[in-house]
């Protein structure tokens, strides 16, 4: 018989302010705070050689008692976030954002991670010099983009920074008239582990042709992830099997090209490809 119960709740609150000045300057400001919590509990009872299986759970006491397991844990996260978006006459774009995340999965001194980002854009097709070329029917849209940002990863065990104390049937010693239960460290935590951080730089180009019937997006990116969260094997001399740590880094880079086309577009039906 096993029973599991998980209760998770998420509360998100955001406030947005939006305005434009003389229909030239467009500004959007967003701020927010989020709360998240998850509680988990499990217990399990095992009995074998039950003589009257027809009794179901009521007959478990007649069998041979087996293992009993139980566990209870919880984790929580608090986040603050903000973003400012600005564009001038749909020609020049700028976005800056920042978020701070605090996770209970880390020790207090490493609980918070801070992740900024910024991006810039230039819609060349809205410039006067481009319109004077009289090629709108050929090149409908042309936009250049560049961006940089960071985000974090906190996917580790809920008790990773803690040294755990446990017991089993082998840790018993005879005192006086009976056995006393002993307790030993079962897992050595690492209070120095911190957020895994990914940093990415991206340069992009958006183009569309023939009144947006054909579109192309090209992105060149480079992403580096540092302080990787890895559960490594511990040295045998420690007496423990594994432990969490920040180890190494990974770099990803490449080019992404997307093509979208609408070869046929009528009132009755259309054909799209990408």
């Amino acid at each position: 018989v096993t029973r599991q119960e998980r209760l998770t709740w998420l509360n998100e609150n955001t406030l947005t302010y939006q305005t434009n000045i003389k229909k030239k300057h467009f500004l959007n400001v967003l701020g927010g705070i989020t709360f998240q919590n998850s509680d988990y509990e499990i217990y399990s009872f095992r009995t074998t050689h039950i003589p009257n299986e027809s009794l179901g759970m009521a007959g478990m006491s007649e069998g041979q008692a087996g293992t009993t397991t139980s566990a209870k844990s919880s984790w929580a996260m608090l986040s603050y976030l903000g973003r400012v978006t600005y564009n001038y006459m749909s020609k020049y774009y700028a976005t800056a954002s920042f978020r701070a995340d605090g996770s209970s999965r880390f020790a207090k001194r490493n609980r918070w991670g801070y992740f900024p980002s910024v991006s810039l854009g230039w819609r060349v097709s809205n410039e006067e010099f481009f319109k004077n070329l009289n090629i709108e029917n050929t090149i409908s849209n042309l936009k250049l983009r560049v961006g940089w940002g960071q985000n974090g990863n906190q996917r580790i065990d809920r008790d990773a920074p803690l040294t755990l104390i446990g017991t089993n049937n082998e840790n018993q010693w005879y005192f006086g008239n009976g056995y006393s239960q002993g307790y030993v460290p079962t897992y050595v935590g690492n209070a120095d582990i911190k957020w895994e951080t990914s940093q990415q730089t991206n340069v992009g180009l958006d183009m569309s042709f023939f009144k947006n019937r054909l579109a192309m997006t090209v992105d060149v990116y480079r992403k580096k992830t540092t302080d990787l969260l890895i559960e490594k094997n511990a040295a045998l001399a420690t007496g423990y099997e594994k432990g969490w740590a920040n180890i190494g880094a990974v770099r990803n880079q490449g080019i992404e090209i997307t093509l979208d086309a609408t070869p046929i577009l009528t009132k009755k039906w259309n054909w799209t490809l990408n």
Side-chain angles (χ1 to χ4, degrees):
V1 177
T2 300
R3 178 181 181 272
Q4 298 185 66
E5 181 176 304
R6 186 189 306 275
L7 174 62
T8 301
W9 57 264
L10 172 65
N11 178 267
E12 298 179 313
N13 310 272
T14 58
L15 183 65
T16 303
Y17 172 76
Q18 183 172 295
T19 187
N20 71 81
I21 303 173
K22 297 182 180 180
K23 297 184 178 180
K24 292 184 178 181
H25 306 273
F26 297 87
L27 181 67
N28 184 290
V29 181
L30 180 143
I33 180 173
T34 69
F35 309 88
Q36 187 172 3
N37 186 87
S38 179
D39 296 313
Y40 176 73
E41 186 174 0
I42 179 175
Y43 59 79
S44 176
F45 307 96
R46 177 182 174 88
T47 302
T48 60
H49 300 88
I50 299 176
N52 299 306
E53 293 186 12
S54 60
L55 296 176
M57 293 177 58
M60 292 182 67
S61 61
E62 299 178 359
Q64 297 180 10
T67 58
T68 299
T69 59
S70 61
K72 185 176 182 179
S73 63
S74 64
W75 67 271
M77 189 161 71
L78 169 65
S79 301
Y80 301 95
L81 55 97
R83 185 188 65 210
V84 178
T85 303
Y86 168 81
N87 89 71
Y88 175 73
M89 296 183 66
S90 298
K91 295 180 183 180
Y92 312 110
Y93 299 83
T95 300
S97 66
F98 182 83
R99 65 178 297 135
D101 297 306
S103 173
S104 66
R105 295 175 186 259
F106 299 99
K108 286 185 177 181
R109 64 174 176 268
N110 294 321
R111 184 152 293 171
W112 287 91
Y114 305 96
F115 310 106
S117 69
V118 62
S119 64
L120 300 172
W122 178 29
R123 193 178 298 277
V124 183
S125 54
N126 281 0
E127 295 284 1
E128 288 298 326
F129 73 85
F130 186 88
K131 295 179 180 180
N132 292 335
L133 298 176
N134 295 321
I135 57 174
E136 292 92 342
N137 292 332
T138 303
I139 302 178
S140 310
N141 177 58
L142 175 61
K143 183 181 180 181
L144 299 174
R145 297 176 284 103
V146 61
W148 172 90
Q150 293 181 337
N151 57 28
N153 173 20
Q154 51 104 33
R155 290 190 293 270
I156 57 176
D157 289 345
R158 304 172 189 184
D159 50 14
L162 304 175
T163 295
L164 305 181
I165 303 297
T167 182
N168 55 49
N169 293 330
E170 297 177 358
N171 302 323
Q172 294 183 354
W173 289 267
Y174 190 83
F175 289 100
N177 297 323
Y179 284 93
S180 296
Q181 183 66 59
Y183 294 87
V184 297
T186 58
Y187 177 87
V188 175
N190 181 3
D192 293 327
I193 53 176
K194 57 185 179 180
W195 283 81
E196 177 183 298
T197 302
S198 296
Q199 176 175 286
Q200 180 167 323
T201 302
N202 186 90
V203 178
L205 170 67
D206 300 324
M207 297 185 70
S208 60
F209 309 89
F210 313 117
K211 297 182 179 180
N212 298 316
R213 295 284 292 274
L214 177 65
M216 178 179 69
T217 299
V218 180
D219 282 286
V220 181
Y221 68 91
R222 180 168 181 166
K223 178 181 180 181
K224 185 175 182 179
T225 303
T226 57
D227 297 320
L228 292 171
L229 293 171
I230 296 177
E231 190 176 23
K232 67 172 184 176
N233 293 326
L236 295 179
T238 64
Y240 305 99
E241 294 183 359
K242 296 181 178 181
W244 286 93
N246 296 103
I247 302 176
V250 174
R251 186 180 69 193
N252 298 282
Q253 59 187 23
I255 300 175
E256 293 182 355
I257 301 175
T258 303
L259 297 174
D260 294 280
T262 308
I264 299 176
L265 179 63
T266 67
K267 294 182 179 180
K268 293 184 178 180
W269 68 288
N270 62 74
W271 175 27
T272 61
L273 299 171
N274 66 48

